[in-house]
Amino acid sequence: MRSFHASSIGVAAVAALAFPLAATTPVAASSSAPPSAAAELAGSTQSLPLDPLPGADRAADGASQEGLAQREVRPFSLVGVVWDNADDELHGSAQVRTRGRAAGTWSDWQDLDTHNHDHAADPGTPEAARPLHGSTAPLWVGDSDAVEARVRPEGADGEPLPKGLRLDLVDPGAAPAEEDTGEGTRELRAPDALPALDEAATRAEAAEAAGTTAHARPYVGKRPRIITRKGWGADEGMRESGFLYTKSVKVAFVHHTGSGNGYSCAQAPSVLRSIYRYHVKSNGWRDIGYNFAVDKCGKIYEGRAGGVAKAVMGAHTLGFNTNSVGIALLGTYNDTNPPAAALKAIEQLSAWKLGLYGVNPKGKSTLVSAGGNRYKKGRSVKFNAIAGHRDGFATDCPGTRLYGRLGTVRAAAARYQGRR
């Protein structure tokens, strides 16, 4: 995920920033300049260790509940449980209560999605060699200043809880949403974004980037408007410098973030900054795991750095991050229907991104597993070109309600490419 203000440059310049499709190699590190060495932008992570809860029943194997008593803390907006070893899974439940700063009242107990092992870097990649940590999915709770937590193993004889359990509380920091007018006042500005392109400009961009004629790829959906990393306030000094690329983009994996639906559309950049910080500071990844994010109002955001048109390797679908793109809908869609605006954004984004690589959204593509709980390493697996995360890994993601809409998403994306 990289950013530039495209409204002031032409199609040729946009294409030059896009990519030569065939020029990259799997897991090749870019020689691009590192991000600024300036201090991190506003935002922070508080990490609080969890301890055995007093009076909690112990399982037969000695496993016990762990938690955190009610505690006042510095302001935060997103919370997750983290542990030492990324290869360990939390077989149990994790819940939090938080106190909102505005009203000063406590929430009910809220569940954290504990099945988060499926979002990770592929085994054997440079990113997987980093010191990584396991975690629940993060939960957006809004502006809060106190917290309580409890983590319980499954059943009386459940597996022990992972070692090093702690609660990470993320403050996303302020958005870069104001500018000085020079007259002693400040005003809100529009976020930095790549503008939507018409059909001719999109074809020119795709052709120049691919080094082909404009007619070489007849089915490319128009590029939708994409809010850049600068637009949502990504701190480029926080991520690792350089990028990892693969050869192509054959499959778009659709996700939900599991972070809850209690955010407003105006808060979506804050949610994204929080997830970015959680992925880097808590999980230990090189950058945010998703290549793109979509909010419930249908705005599209640039995710992992490296070029929106390039085949950037993410950390979104364990085992299948090579030659794929990860698109995450902010929120949780197990029991909630995804909004129509969000589905349309996923359709348009998929039509454009897959079209750059000549992929039919209604077709199928084959990927080779790097290892996971559904497919062993080295196995060739045929996926729908627009697939759900659960197709590649035994997981609830992207939520039952969102997964059930992927058939209509494929059909609509194909129409956006001009296919019948």
Side-chain angles (χ1 to χ4, degrees):
M1 300 116 82
R2 37 302 113 208
S3 63
F4 58 91
H5 206 304
S7 60
S8 61
I9 61 179
V11 169
V14 172
L17 287 168
F19 65 128
L21 286 177
T24 56
T25 56
V27 201
S30 167
S31 59
S32 299
S36 170
E40 291 180 10
L41 300 175
S44 64
T45 300
Q46 302 172 69
S47 194
L48 308 175
L50 302 186
D51 297 313
L53 292 175
D57 294 334
R58 301 183 70 85
D61 60 4
S64 66
Q65 300 180 30
E66 295 188 21
L68 182 75
Q70 288 188 8
R71 182 182 301 188
E72 293 188 355
V73 294
R74 298 193 308 274
F76 69 98
S77 295
L78 179 138
V79 57
V81 172
V82 182
W83 52 92
D84 291 344
N85 191 342
D87 292 330
D88 292 340
E89 287 200 66
L90 197 168
H91 296 281
S93 64
Q95 296 180 310
V96 296
R97 296 177 64 217
T98 57
R99 187 180 69 188
R101 291 181 70 193
T105 56
W106 284 86
S107 71
D108 294 332
W109 285 103
Q110 300 183 78
D111 292 321
L112 301 177
D113 184 354
T114 59
H115 301 290
N116 197 46
H117 182 67
D118 46 341
H119 300 80
D122 281 353
T125 63
E127 187 166 6
R130 296 159 58 90
L132 304 180
H133 303 294
S135 74
T136 67
L139 178 68
W140 176 262
V141 294
D143 191 17
S144 304
D145 62 4
V147 65
E148 182 179 7
R150 62 191 184 195
V151 181
R152 297 169 171 168
E154 287 178 342
D157 56 351
E159 295 186 28
L161 296 173
K163 295 184 182 302
L165 286 175
R166 57 193 182 274
L167 195 68
D168 275 12
L169 309 174
V170 179
D171 170 18
E178 295 184 338
E179 60 184 7
D180 193 339
T181 64
E183 301 174 353
T185 60
R186 302 182 68 85
E187 61 183 28
L188 293 176
R189 63 169 176 80
D192 192 283
L194 303 178
L197 298 180
D198 61 22
E199 184 174 349
T202 299
R203 290 184 185 280
E205 175 199 47
E208 185 166 347
T212 64
T213 67
H215 302 291
R217 297 194 184 281
Y219 300 109
V220 180
K222 292 185 289 187
R223 189 185 74 189
R225 180 176 183 268
I226 302 171
I227 297 173
T228 66
R229 287 171 64 91
K230 181 179 179 181
W232 55 263
D235 180 353
E236 300 299 356
M238 187 165 61
R239 66 171 175 84
E240 184 175 306
S241 62
F243 316 110
L244 299 177
Y245 297 111
T246 60
K247 287 183 177 180
S248 184
V249 174
K250 297 180 179 181
V251 176
F253 283 109
V254 177
H255 304 257
H256 70 177
T257 58
S259 51
N261 303 316
Y263 70 94
S264 68
C265 292
Q267 291 174 320
S270 295
V271 176
L272 202 52
R273 289 197 305 279
S274 298
I275 293 174
Y276 172 39
R277 175 171 282 275
Y278 190 76
H279 283 180
V280 174
K281 295 297 187 181
S282 299
N283 291 110
W285 301 346
R286 62 184 295 121
D287 194 350
I288 191 170
Y290 308 112
N291 297 104
F292 296 93
V294 174
D295 69 24
K296 58 187 177 184
C297 290
K299 293 187 179 69
I300 300 171
Y301 302 84
E302 178 184 23
R304 176 163 286 210
V308 292
K310 291 186 178 181
V312 179
M313 175 177 275
H316 49 82
T317 306
L318 180 63
F320 295 102
N321 289 305
T322 296
N323 296 335
S324 68
V325 60
I327 301 172
L329 179 54
L330 299 180
T332 305
Y333 295 94
N334 294 316
D335 303 309
T336 301
N337 289 324
L343 291 173
K344 182 177 180 180
I346 294 171
E347 293 160 2
Q348 293 176 328
L349 177 59
S350 300
W352 168 71
K353 185 71 176 186
L354 291 174
L356 291 176
Y357 294 84
V359 176
N360 182 347
K362 292 196 297 184
K364 295 182 182 294
S365 297
T366 299
L367 300 178
V368 177
S369 174
N373 69 357
R374 172 162 284 183
Y375 299 107
K376 293 182 178 180
K377 181 178 180 179
R379 179 171 174 180
S380 294
V381 183
K382 184 174 287 188
F383 292 101
N384 287 310
I386 299 177
H389 186 181
R390 64 177 62 181
D391 293 324
F393 200 96
T395 174
D396 290 337
C397 185
T400 302
R401 299 291 182 89
L402 177 54
Y403 186 78
R405 299 299 301 273
L406 293 187
T408 58
V409 167
R410 295 181 194 108
R415 290 195 297 271
Y416 282 121
Q417 284 190 353
R419 300 177 188 267
R420 294 186 177 183

